Amino acid sequence: MMKKLLKGDGIYSFAASLIAILLGVLVGAVVLFVANPAQALNGLKSLFIGGFVDMKNVGQTLYYATPIIMTGLSVGFANKCGLFNIGGSGQFIVGAYAAVLVGVKCTFLPTGLHCAAALLAAVLAGALWGLLPGVLKALCNVNEVISCIMMNYIGMSMVNLLVRKTVFDQLKNQSKMPAASAILPKMGFDKIFVAGKATSSANAGIIIAIVAGIIMWVVLSKTKFGYELKACGYNRDAAKYAGINEKRSIIMSMVIAGALAGLGGALMYLAGAGKGIHVVDTLAAEGFTGIPVALLGMSNPIGIIFAGLFMAHLTMGGFNMQIYGFVPQVIDIITSVIIYFSAFALFFQLVLRKKFNKGADDNANAEKALSAEAQALPEVLPENQGKGGEI
Amino acid sequence: MEAVEYIIEMCNITKEFPGIIANDNVTLQLKKGEIHALLGENGAGKSTLMSVLFGMYQPEKGVIRKNGQEVQINDPNDANRLGIGMVHQHFKLVHNFTVLENIILGVETTQKGFLKMDAARDKVVALSHKYNLSVDPDALISDITVGMQQRVEILKMLYRDNEILIFDEPTAVLTPQEIAELMKIMRSLADEGKSILFITHKLNEIKEVASRCTVLRKGKYIGTVDVAATSKEEMSEMMVGRKVNLKVDKAEPKIGDVIFEADHICVNSKTSQKHLVKDITLNVRAGEIVCIAGIDGNGQTELVQTLTGLIKPDAGTIKLNGADITHSSIRKRNTSGLGHIPEDRHKHGLVLDYPLAYNLVLQSYFEPRFCRGQFLKYDEIFKYADTLIEKYDIRSGQGAKTFARSMSGGNQQKAIVAREIDRDPSLLIAVQPTRGLDVGAIEYIHKKLVEERDLGKGILLVSLELDEVMNLSDRILVIYEGEIVAELNPSEVTIQELGLYMAGSKRNKEKEA
Ligand SMILES: Nc1ncnc2c1ncn2[C@@H]1O[C@H](COP(=O)(O)OP(=O)(O)OP(=O)(O)O)[C@@H](O)[C@H]1O
Ligand SMILES: [Mg+2]
């Protein structure tokens, strides 16, 4: 019964996301024609092809998808409890630092264990970064958006400081590379995703991200804990009335959201792609990219996995567009436009449902659609599932 | 051409929802200047029919005519242009806006991009004065009573110069005093020449103000009757399809031991020095229905929230089955035998975006029968939901998987009542348990409550409805300004007397030193 229900709903979500993407690409095409009419078609082609140039590029897509799937899951998870985790950036970077620290320092650990320990450290660090806003929200009713933003800056500055103090590579002005024993296993991806001599950075990270997504789906839709969490997200007063410890649910959902983002940080910096934590005063972009990923994936874990892959696909397409002389800014504009339209995915979903399911939504739904643009993100997200019926 | 006698005609309207035909070939004719009642069981399709008229739903079949002209109503704006206004079953006001802002919302007049508030204010004040609504245009919606909020909704329609006014169960949320005033307002509106469609489950109200009444049953049109010529019994039979017993049959109570005790409970106001609940001491024994009667806003809400654990008392102790539960969590109270039918079904009672089945296990999903380890047993939950749906006749489009949001108001209430009674609590705190229910459902719920009583359960009923209080209770406690001012025996007191106690002009319990 539940499966059928999910399916009926899923069709609309999927179609809506698709429409969002198509509209985004359409506007993107206009931008391309304005920027460089001669190469616009070629550019557009690259964008579509994305990573599907060769196997190496496909591997790179998986590599880029990994961290943003994790931060997307993080945002999506908090959302189920009615919270807006904008602190993914801070959680991501402290997770990354913890992983790198363990990776560099704890060389006494045997190979398998070393990597696991580094991942665990990241999870704990991220969880801690989610815990604080969660506690503040649950006990003092401090808006999580504000405390999360502050935690982002605290995280960034602290990691900058600690990297310099503990694992600094003077030459490259970034963190040292973790020991080989801490690097994520390649799982044979280095044999599959190659083009000639060039291998991709694909590794076990993507598997971990997908597994995390599946676990999150199971937790949310099959367990008591998920039931409580969603009840809190939909109606906190009713959850309290039902004897659900809503404070605990809020804290737990922020902790888990933080842990997911923190793990994302580890998966990025333990990938063995030669990337270290730069000591710069900018917030980690992956944390913010998680927001549109969650939005495009309609907060559904499986949707988020695909949304993350899609965004990585665009990123790869963007890289390849540079061949045709497009500056990175133009590429950013196009991806942003698509992201922007993805925010309307909910709106398209409602329109679709109205068209094909006629009266299935009550007027409340229609009203929500109208105010969807005006509403803050956290209000928009939780509305998008569990409405109306199936065809 | 048809006679242009009717201001609005809805002819052969059919409206389907997934799994249900909410309106099946329904016809409704409204005369100019009349108050026309719409009667039907919970889920009969009354709100749906009115939403069709108000342009929120498009019917699959049927036509709407205004003054004999066929009209197309695609959305509420169209309805508004045709002079149709609606007060919804669940109000649609913006809570952090003022009364005035709410009223002009959507029809703001602007001058150089700025709102022209003064003209609007004058009009609102004039209207409020004319119909004796005494609404303060600058009050925040969140600060005014439900009765006042309703008047704001009425003003909204008047401000838009609507001449066809739809009231969807306006009285379900009002106190008897407010109802009397609303009836007066409706009558004066009708005298002005406005035409009114009025949905209610209370036959008394129909008798009082309506001239004609259209009856629906399970989406079908049953008939339209002249109210003066039809008895209440006949009307209820038309709508339910069988005879309804409007009186409660109950035997003498067999009273047992004390189940529940509240001792010297005090709740202080957060914003002022006032006590919301002043030193209340009460108990409920096995096998009795104790009723807390009072005018709304005299501390009932706070008292119940304290007893059920939603808020903490500032002083006092609470005991259930001998155990002190003053500081117990809500979960602990629920599992040790406390049931609670909450006052506000949308705020506390339901998770509207959960399917009905999930809502029916809101306090029991963690029990071994519904979960294995950390995992929920969906099959069991849905099976259980189906039995409750069957037993309590909860009607909805798609059964257990219907989202609570799309259920009719009365069926939402039935779901809550079913859940709470079926948990088999030793003490059931029922606040307005029959709010918004049709007479058939009220009869059934009252029967169930009496049955529970006879099984040796204790019931603490909080009701604003004097008929319910008199019919159901074995003992009445009158609450006034946060105090219990009288303890009465329903067989020895008249409704008039009870009213005096409730108004605070009489008391038989002196404050304990
Ligand atoms: N938006 C919707 N989506 C699906 N089904 C709906 C929707 N609105 C109403 N229904 C279904 O249509 C039927 C009629 O509902 P309606 O709200 O019109 O009943 P009602 O007569 O107003 O009842 P009540 O007295 O309980 O308010 C119900 O079975 C309800 O479940
Ligand atoms: Mg209704």
Side-chain angles (χ1 to χ4, degrees):
Chain A
M1 242 187 216
M2 276 315 291
K3 264 201 203 110
K4 244 170 80 192
L5 202 72
L6 280 174
K7 235 177 165 176
D9 235 41
I11 292 171
Y12 293 111
S13 310
F14 185 73
S17 296
L18 215 63
I19 293 178
I21 290 167
L22 284 178
L23 280 177
V25 170
L26 211 67
V27 176
V30 174
V31 174
L32 284 186
F33 274 102
V34 172
N36 186 350
Q39 296 291 353
L41 277 182
N42 280 331
L44 205 59
K45 207 171 105 202
S46 310
L47 193 67
F48 270 115
I49 292 172
F52 293 112
V53 181
D54 53 32
M55 281 314 264
K56 183 207 160 207
N57 275 281
V58 173
Q60 283 310 97
T61 305
L62 297 181
Y63 164 70
Y64 282 115
T66 306
I68 57 177
I69 289 177
M70 292 308 299
T71 51
L73 291 175
S74 168
V75 174
F77 194 84
N79 216 285
K80 288 288 177 183
C81 191
L83 299 168
F84 182 32
N85 179 24
I86 200 171
S89 185
Q91 296 148 9
F92 181 86
I93 205 70
V94 296
Y97 170 73
V100 170
L101 182 70
V102 171
V104 173
K105 299 280 182 191
C106 303
T107 40
F108 51 86
L109 291 166
T111 307
L113 208 58
H114 191 186
C115 181
L119 292 179
L120 185 68
V123 165
L124 292 177
L128 178 70
W129 239 244
L131 174 72
L132 279 159
V135 168
L136 285 174
K137 169 83 183 183
L139 303 185
C140 320
N141 205 18
V142 174
N143 190 319
E144 76 277 10
V145 173
I146 294 169
S147 49
C148 275
I149 290 176
M150 300 211 294
M151 290 304 281
N152 280 344
Y153 285 99
I154 299 174
M156 176 193 77
S157 308
M158 200 188 72
V159 167
N160 281 347
L161 185 79
L162 288 174
V163 165
R164 272 184 204 284
K165 276 210 164 6
T166 54
V167 288
F168 198 46
D169 183 341
Q170 294 259 317
L171 279 179
K172 296 187 185 156
N173 191 31
Q174 65 175 30
S175 64
K176 288 185 191 147
M177 287 302 114
S181 55
I183 297 297
L184 290 161
K186 285 282 181 208
M187 311 267 297
F189 287 177
D190 49 347
K191 308 249 161 30
I192 306 171
F193 298 112
V194 288
K197 278 228 164 62
T199 58
S200 74
S201 310
N203 59 67
I206 185 71
I207 306 286
I208 294 177
I210 290 171
V211 169
I214 292 170
I215 293 177
M216 172 169 150
W217 181 79
V218 171
V219 167
L220 281 174
S221 56
K222 300 282 171 204
T223 66
K224 277 195 290 195
F225 178 60
Y227 176 94
E228 292 174 351
L229 219 59
K230 285 188 291 178
C232 277
Y234 286 136
N235 184 348
R236 197 157 293 160
D237 291 310
K240 186 175 174 191
Y241 155 87
I244 293 169
N245 188 337
E246 92 279 16
K247 296 198 159 80
R248 181 176 155 264
S249 293
I250 290 171
I251 295 174
M252 285 304 285
S253 79
M254 278 309 287
V255 165
I256 293 175
L260 287 165
L263 183 58
L267 296 184
M268 178 145 155
Y269 290 96
L270 297 181
K275 201 169 160 58
I277 304 172
H278 286 280
V279 180
V280 286
D281 281 337
T282 35
L283 296 172
E286 288 79 3
F288 295 113
T289 312
I291 297 167
V293 169
L295 216 49
L296 197 56
M298 298 259 171
S299 279
N300 175 313
I302 310 302
I304 289 172
I305 293 175
F306 283 105
L309 286 169
F310 172 71
M311 297 287 269
H313 175 85
L314 282 187
T315 311
M316 287 307 295
F319 286 146
N320 295 337
M321 275 165 68
Q322 292 182 24
I323 303 169
Y324 301 105
F326 286 103
V327 288
Q329 282 82 344
V330 173
I331 300 154
D332 280 346
I333 291 178
I334 294 170
T335 39
S336 320
V337 166
I338 293 176
I339 291 167
Y340 190 75
F341 273 100
S342 73
F344 287 109
L346 166 71
F347 177 74
F348 297 133
Q349 190 184 1
L350 283 166
V351 172
L352 280 178
R353 192 167 280 160
K354 261 225 138 71
K355 263 220 124 50
F356 294 106
N357 212 357
K358 288 187 197 127
D361 12 48
D362 48 346
N363 59 303
N365 248 348
E367 269 180 4
K368 259 168 217 150
L370 293 178
S371 57
E373 295 161 69
Q375 270 178 351
L377 183 65
E379 266 93 17
V380 177
L381 278 179
E383 307 295 350
N384 60 30
Q385 4 76 26
K387 282 288 168 53
E390 57 205 287
I391 336 176
Chain B
M1 265 325 290
E2 264 108 327
V4 194
E5 184 192 354
Y6 298 112
I7 184 157
I8 285 286
E9 280 181 285
M10 301 180 76
C11 302
N12 310 97
I13 301 288
T14 295
K15 173 75 203 155
E16 291 180 36
F17 288 120
I20 196 163
I21 305 179
N23 291 151
D24 187 358
N25 199 13
V26 174
T27 295
L28 178 94
Q29 294 168 313
L30 178 67
K31 287 184 196 162
K32 183 161 171 53
E34 77 166 339
I35 300 182
H36 191 119
L38 192 53
L39 184 66
E41 292 172 285
N42 297 125
K46 306 177 296 293
S47 296
T48 305
L49 187 66
M50 292 301 102
S51 302
V52 166
L53 181 56
F54 194 54
M56 293 191 305
Y57 296 138
Q58 297 310 309
E60 273 84 43
K61 285 195 210 106
V63 291
I64 301 174
R65 289 197 200 98
K66 186 185 174 200
N67 294 325
Q69 298 287 325
E70 189 172 331
V71 289
Q72 185 66 33
I73 307 177
N74 290 321
D75 54 42
N77 289 333
D78 284 354
N80 195 29
R81 269 191 291 281
L82 292 168
I84 302 171
M86 179 160 177
V87 177
H88 295 270
Q89 192 164 4
H90 304 107
F91 302 155
K92 300 188 180 302
L93 297 169
V94 183
H95 275 238
N96 49 1
F97 271 21
T98 65
V99 168
L100 184 62
E101 287 166 335
N102 266 286
I103 291 173
I104 62 169
L105 196 64
V107 290
E108 306 90 346
T109 39
T110 51
Q111 192 169 34
K112 299 197 183 100
F114 287 99
L115 283 175
K116 255 172 43 190
M117 284 299 224
D118 290 342
R121 172 191 303 271
D122 292 344
K123 187 167 174 190
V124 168
V125 171
L127 282 170
S128 165
H129 195 75
K130 180 170 171 198
Y131 294 99
N132 239 329
L133 299 176
S134 45
V135 170
D136 170 10
D138 299 310
L140 280 182
I141 296 295
S142 51
D143 293 342
I144 61 178
T145 63
V146 178
M148 275 295 161
Q149 293 182 7
Q150 185 165 62
R151 292 180 178 196
V152 176
E153 290 277 15
I154 297 174
L155 269 177
K156 248 165 97 175
M157 299 193 295
L158 297 176
Y159 185 81
R160 287 159 177 71
D161 299 319
N162 291 327
E163 44 177 341
I164 297 139
L165 314 179
I166 307 169
F167 288 87
D168 193 352
E169 288 194 44
T171 56
V173 291
L174 300 185
T175 64
Q177 291 74 11
E178 289 170 325
I179 291 175
E181 299 201 5
L182 177 67
M183 300 280 120
K184 247 202 299 198
I185 295 168
M186 282 172 51
R187 236 181 274 123
S188 67
L189 288 169
D191 290 344
E192 284 268 300
K194 311 240 181 218
S195 317
I196 296 180
L197 278 160
F198 173 39
I199 301 182
T200 182
H201 290 293
K202 298 179 196 160
L203 300 163
N204 288 335
E205 294 168 2
I206 296 183
K207 274 282 183 199
E208 201 181 323
V209 292
S211 49
R212 296 191 307 146
C213 173
T214 293
V215 182
L216 303 182
R217 190 195 311 151
K218 298 196 172 157
K220 292 208 168 57
Y221 174 73
I222 302 297
T224 302
V225 296
D226 183 31
V227 171
T230 318
S231 73
K232 283 195 269 180
E233 285 71 21
E234 283 166 324
M235 280 194 272
S236 58
E237 196 178 334
M238 263 178 98
M239 93 186 229
V240 188
R242 63 176 167 86
K243 285 227 180 319
V244 180
N245 187 356
L246 299 173
K247 268 245 163 292
V248 184
D249 292 319
K250 63 183 179 73
E252 277 301 302
K254 285 190 272 311
I255 292 176
D257 298 333
V258 171
I259 293 184
F260 183 76
E261 289 168 89
D263 240 333
H264 299 292
I265 302 288
C266 287
V267 179
N268 301 334
S269 163
K270 296 265 174 306
T271 49
S272 69
Q273 286 293 312
K274 261 181 53 193
H275 293 281
L276 298 172
V277 175
K278 244 188 271 176
D279 197 30
I280 285 189
T281 297
L282 61 87
N283 67 27
V284 182
R285 292 164 296 177
E288 72 171 342
I289 299 180
V290 178
C291 178
I292 296 184
I295 297 167
D296 198 21
N298 273 288
Q300 297 96 319
T301 307
E302 291 78 13
L303 177 64
V304 167
Q305 293 195 343
T306 314
L307 300 182
T308 53
L310 284 166
I311 55 177
K312 290 201 174 19
D314 291 297
T317 53
I318 305 163
K319 277 189 191 152
L320 179 63
N321 293 320
D324 188 334
I325 58 161
T326 317
H327 301 289
S328 303
S329 66
I330 296 176
R331 173 62 49 86
K332 181 85 207 329
R333 288 173 208 235
N334 283 343
T335 49
S336 47
L338 189 73
H340 176 198
I341 297 171
E343 182 180 5
D344 187 334
R345 59 176 168 241
H346 282 184
K347 184 165 186 215
H348 290 114
L350 295 167
V351 178
L352 289 173
D353 293 312
Y354 263 172
L356 176 56
Y358 284 25
N359 272 297
L360 289 173
V361 296
L362 206 56
Q363 296 108 319
S364 50
Y365 64 93
F366 52 86
E367 287 172 8
R369 58 184 169 145
F370 296 131
C371 67
R372 192 181 298 109
Q374 286 302 312
F375 288 85
L376 291 173
K377 291 194 234 171
Y378 285 107
D379 293 349
E380 294 300 320
I381 291 176
F382 276 87
K383 227 189 289 167
Y384 172 70
D386 286 336
T387 60
L388 281 195
I389 289 170
E390 170 83 39
K391 207 161 129 194
Y392 289 84
D393 189 26
I394 306 169
R395 296 183 197 167
S396 61
Q398 296 163 298
K401 61 177 179 156
T402 316
F403 285 98
R405 190 182 287 286
S406 74
M407 289 167 55
S408 82
N411 282 296
Q412 291 174 345
Q413 182 70 17
K414 278 202 245 174
I416 296 173
V417 173
R419 176 180 77 205
E420 295 308 310
I421 292 185
D422 210 72
R423 285 202 299 124
D424 207 18
S426 46
L427 178 84
L428 177 63
I429 300 183
V431 186
Q432 304 265 62
T434 55
R435 174 179 274 188
L437 296 189
D438 66 54
V439 285
I442 291 177
E443 179 194 23
Y444 181 74
I445 299 298
H446 281 173
K447 213 169 75 201
K448 279 308 278 187
L449 289 176
V450 172
E451 246 171 66
E452 289 296 301
R453 178 197 79 159
D454 292 342
L455 286 171
K457 306 286 159 52
I459 291 168
L460 185 64
L461 177 74
V462 179
S463 180
L464 303 177
E465 236 156 292
L466 294 183
D467 282 335
E468 186 166 76
V469 172
M470 294 299 273
N471 266 330
L472 217 52
S473 57
D474 300 311
R475 189 149 64 91
I476 301 173
L477 301 173
V478 180
I479 191 169
Y480 177 71
E481 295 198 334
E483 271 182 281
I484 300 285
V485 293
E487 177 165 345
L488 306 168
N489 183 336
S491 56
E492 292 167 2
V493 67
T494 61
I495 286 206
Q496 285 73 18
E497 252 182 292
L498 181 57
L500 287 180
Y501 282 106
M502 284 168 45
S505 42
K506 230 178 142 179
R507 58 194 293 161
N508 74 3
K509 249 191 158 180
E510 279 323 307
K511 206 167 158 32
E512 289 163 50

